[in-house]
Amino acid sequence: MNREKRTEIFERLKANDPNPTTELEYGSPFELLISVILSAQATDVSVNKATSQLYKVANTPQQILDLGVDGLKAYIKTIGLFNTKAENVIRTCAALLELHGGEVPEDRAALEALPGVGRKTANVVLNTAFGHPTMAVDTHIFRVSNRTRIAPGKTVREVEDRLVRLIPEPYLKDAHHWLILHGRYVCTARKPRCGACVIEDLCEFRQKTEYE
């Protein structure tokens, strides 16, 4: 795929959704960080349902730390892997207070040093909370990148690096959200909705499907 075609793809995605953002509901970088930790192998809907109650009573590192692991579990028990996530969130809150004055660091290495925070989570926080042009490659972005041939790769990191290198700079900050939403609602895993896709004629996927 050439640069002109990639540019047109992202121009259309932008025209279709000029101000994309995460579907996680949050009011601060800290709330976003916790929500992203909780969202691993869980839906944004399930996380939002739990955090809508949690954040009413505890939405700072100290307040969540004061809940303790068992207290936190009571709010997030409907989310997959909640036992491990509760322990990681409590440890992350303690680390934020001890190392960063209770603030979420705007630094990849510092973020990845937090319990339960890997590269993908750090990328989401850097991009969504702080506006960095990072690319958090989840299953949706990995699928869309390979299927459309925007940035094919065999590994998540390979796809991430190629996307960051190949996406035209004006679109890079928002590209993460466009690609996730496109994969979630249009370029779906089992049967992509090609007939309803704004980039169908630019996409290099050969097994196009009819939209039902």
Side-chain angles (χ1 to χ4, degrees), residues 141-159:
I141 293 182
F142 187 81
R143 178 177 67 254
V144 171
S145 297
N146 276 286
R147 185 183 276 166
T148 62
R149 311 302 290 175
I150 289 172
K154 294 181 179 180
T155 66
V156 167
R157 183 60 188 271
E158 186 179 353
V159 169

Side-chain angles (χ1 to χ4, degrees), residues 42-72:
T43 65
D44 289 356
V45 172
S46 69
V47 173
N48 290 339
K49 186 174 181 180
T51 58
S52 66
Q53 300 304 311
L54 171 64
Y55 294 156
K56 288 178 182 177
V57 298
N59 68 344
T60 68
Q62 188 62 61
Q63 289 171 343
I64 290 183
L65 191 62
D66 290 343
L67 288 177
V69 171
D70 290 337
L72 178 57

Side-chain angles (χ1 to χ4, degrees), residues 148-192:
T148 62
R149 311 302 290 175
I150 289 172
K154 294 181 179 180
T155 66
V156 167
R157 183 60 188 271
E158 186 179 353
V159 169
E160 176 190 333
D161 290 344
R162 294 196 74 186
L163 285 169
V164 171
R165 186 175 78 251
L166 295 173
I167 292 173
E169 193 277 332
Y171 307 102
L172 189 53
K173 185 173 77 70
D174 290 327
H176 161 247
H177 298 302
W178 284 320
L179 293 175
I180 283 181
L181 295 170
H182 192 69
R184 187 172 288 170
Y185 297 113
V186 181
C187 197
T188 51
R190 292 188 179 181
K191 188 175 183 181

Side-chain angles (χ1 to χ4, degrees), residues 110-137:
L111 284 168
E112 291 186 22
L114 297 171
V117 177
R119 184 177 181 86
K120 185 172 73 173
T121 295
N123 278 338
V124 173
V125 173
L126 288 170
N127 176 266
T128 305
F130 300 116
H132 291 218
T134 55
M135 186 63 58
V137 178

